[in-house]
Amino acid sequence: MLGRNRLGVYVSSERDAKPNMMVSYLHDGLLLGSSKVAHIDPLLIDGRHFFNAAFGGAMPEEIYNFVERFGKDEKLILIGLDFFMMNEKAFPYMPETFRDNQKRGTFPYLFSLRVATDSVATLYMAGQGRQVAVALAGNRTRESAPPSTKEQIEDNRKTVRKMLATKHYADVHYSSRRLEDLKRLRNLMDERRTRYVVFINPLAPDVI
């Protein structure tokens, strides 16, 4: 809460939690992108002290706003993009995320129902010794064991394929606005002389 949570992040929107988390985590580089990137442990990357600022369903306009507002002093920013980000029909345009005018006041934050329920859930799970959902370095922790049997792996693939077919890549409306946001992001980092690497998140052969 307000950057003073010492128990760890058990239940929270990554969009709410990570701007506060990165303030207290010593780093000189950022990882940004969708949930695929959010699972990367930055401690495994040599050469820099990275904070994983990625969040589920991240869109280019949100990544731009995040870097503009919170990424001013980074030496290197790694950005993972997904093809589904350009489908504006499935993922509506969200230009206000992380903007200054979206900052909530202290009173409504402290007394909101969601914050109250999240706080109670955090106290309960910490008392039970549960694993935090987000590590101090910003990466997601594994909530459960990965599928191991052939049946579990195939069931998982079917679920992913169905999601991709019915939402991510169904009736695609290509977003030219997001292409412009990526250009603005590149220009912003060039102006700040921030080094950056942009990569496309890998797709499994059965998805391609």
Side-chain angles (χ1 to χ4, degrees), residues 44-55:
L44 300 178
I45 304 175
D46 295 329
R48 291 284 178 192
H49 297 289
F50 284 97
F51 177 80
N52 191 329
F55 44 93

Side-chain angles (χ1 to χ4, degrees), residues 31-43:
L31 279 165
L32 279 164
S34 67
S35 56
K36 295 187 185 71
V37 178
H39 283 92
I40 298 174
D41 184 350
L43 298 179

Side-chain angles (χ1 to χ4, degrees), residues 155-205:
D155 286 344
N156 185 63
R157 285 179 174 174
K158 287 180 180 178
T159 300
V160 172
R161 286 196 295 263
K162 182 178 180 181
M163 178 182 66
L164 293 173
T166 58
K167 181 180 180 181
H168 289 62
Y169 298 110
D171 194 16
V172 175
H173 176 189
Y174 183 80
S175 178
S176 58
R177 292 189 289 186
R178 287 186 172 139
L179 183 59
E180 291 303 314
D181 287 325
L182 292 174
K183 292 178 182 178
R184 291 169 61 215
L185 177 60
R186 178 196 61 193
N187 293 338
L188 174 66
M189 293 186 291
D190 284 341
E191 290 170 6
R192 292 177 175 174
R193 297 186 178 180
T194 302
R195 292 180 60 209
Y196 56 90
V197 175
V198 179
F199 58 94
I200 302 298
N201 285 318
L203 293 174

Side-chain angles (χ1 to χ4, degrees), residues 114-133:
R114 187 180 67 80
V115 170
T117 55
D118 284 356
S119 298
V120 171
T122 294
L123 290 171
Y124 173 78
M125 285 187 276
Q128 294 289 312
R130 302 272 190 90
Q131 184 182 35
V132 294

